[in-house]
Amino acid sequence: MKRSVFALLLSAVGAMAFSSAAMSETLVNIGIVQATSGGSAALYGVMQKNGAELAIEEINASGRLGDYKLIGIHQDDAGDRGQSVNIFQRLINQEKVAVILGPTLATSAFAADPLAQKAGVPVIASSNTAPGITDMGDYIFRTSPPESMVFPGVLAYVKRKYAPKTAAQIYGIDDTLMKSAYAVHKKALESEGIKIVATETFQKGDVDYSAQLTKIKAANPDILVIGGLAEETANIVRQARQLGIPPSTGILGANAAISNKLAELAGDAADGFTVGSGWFIQYDSPKNKAFVAAYRKKYNSDPDNFAAQAYTSVYIVADALKRAGGVSDLKKLRDAIAATKDLEANNGSFSFDDHREPAVAPKVLVMKGGKFILAAD
Amino acid sequence: MNAWITQFFASYSNIIDLCLLNSLIAYGLFLALSANMFSLATGGFMALGAYCSVYCTMVLGLSFAPAVFAGALLAALAAAAIGVPVLRLRGDYFMLATFAFTEVTRVVALNWESVTGGAIGIFSIPRYTETWHLVLAVAVVVYIAHTLRRSYFGRAIAAIKQDDVVAQSMGVNVFAHRLALFIASGFICGAGGALAAHLNYFIGPGDFGLARSVDALTYPILGGVNALAGPLVGAIFTTLLPEVLRFSNQLREILMGALVVAIVLYLPGGAMSILKLRWPGATARETKLAAATEQAQS
């Protein structure tokens, strides 16, 4: 009995394979290199894998690509650079992918992206915000806006609201992301003529910031700018208010600090906390509402901006594939991706600029009652 | 066939390179372990080798070979500098001191921005390391380890490993032998760091921390510290494991941990002792030897 069921299954699978071959489908392999294990990188990696796989499912179901069927091949690099390179090599040479989405960490990108550039396979990152990513070559794109793209908008808003003359900065010294955010903040503050009266540092995983914040309080700045990830930022915001830095001193954060965890950890103290982002969950557009609903339905949780950016990456590929007329020539595909213009995406209309960076309108978000809302002027 | 080989190499060359690189470091540790030195300095040595060689190629414009040599030499010097005071410490204290060295190196790399790029690291490093460089390096190190074992020096080391007090009383200069081995270990790990830096376009302070030191220690221990091929087997096994287990997705880390624990539990002599299980001749010879020793002792 068991055997006959098995045989039946086998023949069914065989028939399916036949029928799909008969339909003359062209399979397009898409490499998804995201860390789903290995510490904090997995937080970002899982979100992006989910976003990308959701988009692939939707596109295949919609039939908008005709005979082309997208196949997502996810590989976990565990946030380890050596593994990212291993995976890139295999995806490019063995799986013959048309495009690679990822990798999760900028340090992995610096090691692995040159291989794709050399092989002429386009790469679209959706979480690398470090400077220099797209400088690696003309096949390297990203949908994650770098800090330098969103922060000027945040500062412009804060200038209107707080009219600051002085600022204090605090940032993580041992992390690529936090440190490059600091440099961007510093440059923007200086170019706006705001005087930096105190600069303090911390290390990843620190929990007590009272020493640094006491010094900052003594300097009495008009605004406080934090270059940190979600957890550190939340602690700093909470402790700053506890130490008596008044609400009239606005607190600004980095793009990477946006997380649902922030409100949880910082509580009421986070009210008024201001950041810039390419996407946020309440962004009001039919496309975004559909994305959020579909994501919730499939994964039973809310997407974050990394999931949203990975989702957009897949739609960019699908759109470019259509315009390039297939994936037989990856140079053509690359050119089509580079020419992406005013694509209807979940964060408004999406284009790539000349440096293959995302050109989306940055949104200034303010924390209110535990939720990020669009800043009202 | 030829096309197949080309494709295989294109798909897996980085894995092969990593296996060789880790083997090289494993032999560096093997030398230290052969005189009972549980060194956690590997991360620090590799960082010195990496940053020094990158400085040589990218800032000073030296060619690759002298840059690697400079990196290795700097790490060897550091090994000598910390070895002199620290090698007088025993067991746990030695381990702690070498751990401190690795941490200090990492923190210096984090803060010396003009040379190391700080937390952001150095990118766009030219890729000079070729597979044959690594093969050559491993071959040379294996040859040296092999010759050493058969020399007077090797016998003295073996005596130190058994019991350093007895070795000392037999006229072996324990300190000098350990120092020499530790410096050699530093040299090899420094060269490994230099080769690693020119393999993947990028280095950062996070690459050479405690995790690196512990990994390096696992290679020879897993493979077997008594057999010459032990470090090679251990390094290849540990490097391939995450790739081979890739199919298991979320279970991967659990499986890796379980396998390592299983080896430690059931093959306490390292993976190489599996050969002995399969090789009755070797076991018989050993039993005979043990019996003879017993006789001689009684």
Side-chain angles (χ1 to χ4, degrees):
Chain A
M1 178 60 204
K2 241 183 189 164
R3 185 168 293 175
S4 67
V5 170
F6 184 66
L8 203 72
L9 265 176
L10 253 185
S11 57
V13 170
M16 266 158 70
F18 256 102
S19 66
S20 71
M23 273 165 63
S24 79
E25 261 180 350
T26 310
L27 303 181
V28 178
N29 285 346
I30 297 183
I32 303 172
V33 185
Q34 296 292 353
T36 51
S37 65
S40 61
L43 285 180
Y44 305 105
V46 171
M47 279 296 189
Q48 293 174 76
K49 172 181 178 271
N50 286 350
E53 286 179 349
L54 174 66
I56 289 175
E57 214 169 81
E58 283 179 12
I59 290 167
N60 284 338
S62 73
R64 59 195 279 164
L65 289 181
D67 290 340
Y68 291 100
K69 186 165 180 248
L70 305 181
I71 309 280
I73 304 174
H74 168 254
Q75 301 274 296
D76 170 25
D77 68 1
D80 170 17
R81 227 171 51 229
Q83 291 191 36
S84 319
V85 176
N86 293 345
I87 293 168
F88 265 58
Q89 281 194 333
R90 203 164 51 240
L91 287 174
I92 293 167
N93 295 296
Q94 197 90 37
E95 313 285 354
K96 311 274 184 218
V97 293
V99 59
I100 294 175
L101 307 178
T104 315
L105 300 181
T107 50
S108 302
F110 285 127
D113 286 1
L115 299 177
Q117 170 69 29
K118 210 169 152 200
V121 175
V123 176
I124 306 180
S126 43
S127 59
N128 304 156
T129 51
I133 292 285
T134 54
D135 294 339
M136 275 185 284
D138 57 348
Y139 278 77
I140 316 298
F141 299 83
R142 66 171 151 195
T143 54
S144 39
E147 188 69 22
S148 57
M149 198 162 274
V150 294
F151 192 71
V154 176
L155 201 57
Y157 164 79
V158 166
K159 261 187 101 172
R160 285 196 298 276
K161 188 154 180 223
Y162 297 98
K165 300 216 161 34
T166 56
Q169 283 192 279
I170 180 167
Y171 69 101
I173 195 168
D174 58 345
D175 181 272
T176 315
L177 222 156
M178 301 196 270
K179 211 163 168 185
S180 47
Y182 158 75
V184 168
H185 296 163
K186 184 164 184 260
K187 205 171 144 205
L189 288 168
E190 278 167 354
S191 73
E192 290 288 340
I194 297 171
K195 199 172 160 233
I196 299 165
V197 290
T199 303
E200 294 292 326
T201 60
F202 60 87
Q203 298 216 350
K204 223 192 257 178
D206 280 1
V207 284
D208 180 17
Y209 304 93
S210 43
Q212 295 98 316
L213 289 169
T214 309
K215 277 192 220 158
I216 286 175
K217 193 185 167 203
N220 195 23
D222 295 334
I223 52 171
L224 170 60
V225 185
I226 306 172
L229 305 180
E231 233 173 287
E232 289 90 357
T233 304
N235 278 325
I236 292 170
V237 170
R238 205 184 64 232
Q239 290 174 23
R241 296 304 186 211
Q242 277 168 357
L243 278 171
I245 294 179
S248 60
T249 304
I251 303 184
L252 290 65
N255 179 22
I258 299 175
S259 157
N260 304 336
K261 221 173 161 187
L262 185 92
E264 237 171 76
L265 291 171
D268 293 342
D271 259 16
F273 176 71
T274 315
V275 285
S277 174
W279 177 91
F280 72 109
I281 195 159
Q282 269 99 4
Y283 180 70
D284 197 17
S285 84
K287 184 97 188 165
N288 190 44
K289 282 192 175 133
F291 160 66
V292 174
Y295 190 96
R296 281 182 178 149
K297 192 165 163 240
K298 189 162 170 77
Y299 301 110
N300 274 323
S301 66
D302 281 350
D304 66 5
N305 45 335
F306 300 107
Q309 283 153 353
Y311 179 86
T312 300
S313 303
V314 177
Y315 272 92
I316 290 168
V317 173
D319 175 62
L321 193 154
K322 231 171 159 181
R323 280 183 284 118
V327 290
S328 48
D329 183 356
L330 290 184
K331 171 88 177 60
K332 255 189 184 164
L333 183 67
R334 186 221 81 94
D335 292 345
I337 293 174
T340 299
K341 202 162 169 44
D342 299 328
L343 178 73
E344 171 81 1
N346 54 11
N347 54 357
S349 86
F350 186 98
S351 311
F352 276 121
D353 71 8
D354 294 344
H355 300 288
R356 301 169 301 284
E357 302 270 20
V360 289
K363 287 117 192 131
V364 180
L365 308 179
V366 178
M367 178 73 85
K368 200 170 180 193
K371 283 215 154 56
F372 278 117
I373 56 165
L374 202 60
D377 282 297
Chain B
M1 187 64 194
N2 221 349
W4 186 84
I5 291 173
T6 318
Q7 203 208 348
F8 176 85
F9 197 70
S11 308
Y12 295 105
S13 70
N14 192 61
I15 298 182
I16 298 169
D17 289 350
L18 286 182
C19 282
L20 289 165
L21 186 67
N22 289 338
S23 301
L24 181 65
I25 296 156
Y27 278 101
L29 260 292
F30 177 73
L31 290 183
L33 283 171
S34 67
N36 277 346
M37 294 184 285
F38 282 81
S39 161
L40 285 175
T42 318
F45 290 149
M46 287 186 72
L48 288 180
Y51 283 112
C52 174
S53 66
V54 167
Y55 189 81
C56 287
T57 53
M58 291 182 75
V59 180
L60 303 180
L62 289 183
S63 54
F64 186 45
V68 172
F69 188 72
L73 208 59
L74 181 68
L77 278 177
I82 59 169
V84 170
V86 159
L87 277 173
R88 309 213 178 259
L89 304 174
R90 293 180 56 150
D92 307 347
Y93 299 102
F94 173 76
M95 206 165 184
L96 273 179
T98 50
F99 164 55
F101 166 70
T102 296
E103 263 313 276
V104 167
T105 315
R106 189 183 68 85
V107 172
V108 168
L110 210 47
N111 289 287
W112 195 3
E113 271 174 50
S114 54
V115 173
T116 65
I120 292 169
I122 303 173
F123 40 88
S124 313
I125 300 170
R127 192 180 196 280
Y128 290 142
T129 307
E130 304 277 350
T131 307
W132 71 264
H133 295 153
L134 294 163
V135 173
L136 184 70
V138 172
V140 168
V141 172
V142 170
Y143 177 74
I144 292 173
H146 174 74
T147 345
L148 267 190
R149 275 153 72 94
R150 294 171 161 261
S151 65
Y152 170 79
F153 188 89
R155 311 257 182 239
I157 294 298
I160 293 173
K161 186 171 185 173
Q162 292 291 321
D163 190 326
D164 54 347
V165 179
V166 174
Q168 185 100 51
S169 69
M170 301 296 282
V172 174
N173 187 341
V174 174
F175 174 72
H177 279 81
R178 281 206 166 138
L179 185 63
L181 273 186
F182 193 58
I183 292 174
S185 168
F187 188 87
I188 294 170
C189 294
L195 291 166
H198 292 85
L199 187 64
N200 282 159
Y201 308 98
F202 173 84
I203 51 170
D207 298 343
F208 307 108
L210 177 65
R212 195 67 185 235
S213 299
V214 175
D215 280 352
L217 207 47
T218 23
Y219 306 145
I221 293 178
L222 271 187
V225 275
N226 293 318
L228 185 62
L232 192 72
V233 171
I236 292 175
F237 176 80
T238 327
T239 315
L240 289 185
L241 201 57
E243 301 299 327
V244 174
L245 292 178
R246 199 169 282 291
F247 67 90
S248 61
N249 284 329
Q250 305 295 325
L251 277 177
R252 189 159 70 134
E253 291 187 334
I254 300 172
L255 279 176
M256 273 167 65
L259 265 172
V260 170
V261 171
I263 288 184
V264 173
L265 277 181
Y266 295 109
L267 297 169
M272 283 306 284
S273 55
I274 213 165
L275 289 181
K276 284 189 189 146
L277 297 178
R278 287 254 182 100
W279 215 342
T283 329
R285 235 190 349 259
E286 235 159 64
T287 336
K288 237 188 261 168
L289 199 70
T293 328
E294 234 165 79
Q295 255 177 6
Q297 275 169 351
S298 60

